[in-house]
Amino acid sequence: MLCLGGPEGKNYDGVLRMLDVLLSHEIGEAEERKILQNDYEIQMTQTMNEEVSVMCNLSKGVMEKGMAKGQAEGLTEGILSALTKLVKNMGMSVEQAMTVLEIPDAERQNCRDLLEKQ
């Protein structure tokens, strides 16, 4: 693991800044190429352009994977919360609550297992 810091950091220059630029999901490819060429005097050949593109796609892929994981976890937490409230406040069984929430049969055992862990 490598902490890149940020523009405010005292060691934010050289290789750390270059890695931050390459791995950033906030900076577009064109801007990354411009920074590499102007600040680091790296010639933007066809091969280098392809490498920058790969790095951009890598950082975007990591970000998208993290977002998908977070969304899935949030959805699961919301479902478990709704199940718990239906059981507690409405006097439903877990099965009745899952029916009301239209939880597919294939996911019901997982919900039961997660509810037991709470």
Side-chain angles (χ1 to χ4, degrees):
M1 181 178 283
L2 178 66
C3 178
L4 298 176
E8 304 82 28
K10 64 179 180 177
N11 296 319
Y12 186 75
D13 59 0
V15 174
L16 289 180
R17 179 170 178 254
M18 184 187 321
L19 286 171
D20 191 32
V21 167
L22 284 172
L23 298 174
S24 174
H25 62 275
E26 297 170 354
I27 301 173
E29 278 186 55
E31 184 65 19
E32 286 183 9
R33 288 186 184 105
K34 182 180 172 185
I35 291 170
L36 292 173
Q37 192 161 9
N38 295 339
D39 296 358
Y40 296 97
E41 299 178 7
I42 296 173
Q43 286 294 85
M44 286 293 112
T45 62
Q46 180 65 31
T47 301
M48 197 53 107
N49 282 330
E50 290 170 5
E51 293 295 327
V52 170
S53 183
V54 167
M55 293 300 288
C56 283
N57 291 334
L58 173 67
S59 65
K60 288 176 187 172
V62 169
M63 181 185 71
E64 289 170 1
K65 185 176 179 182
M67 287 176 62
K69 181 180 178 185
Q71 289 172 343
E73 288 174 0
L75 180 60
T76 299
E77 287 178 19
I79 289 170
L80 293 177
S81 176
L83 284 170
T84 302
K85 289 176 183 177
L86 286 171
V87 169
K88 179 182 174 187
N89 299 327
M90 301 299 292
M92 294 182 180
S93 70
V94 172
E95 290 302 316
Q96 289 171 325
M98 286 193 280
T99 299
V100 167
L101 294 176
E102 299 179 355
I103 295 173
D105 290 338
E107 296 176 21
R108 290 185 179 210
Q109 185 58 50
N110 185 45
C111 287
R112 285 186 212 95
D113 294 342
L114 291 172
L115 283 171
E116 285 181 19
K117 290 180 183 179
Q118 286 186 340

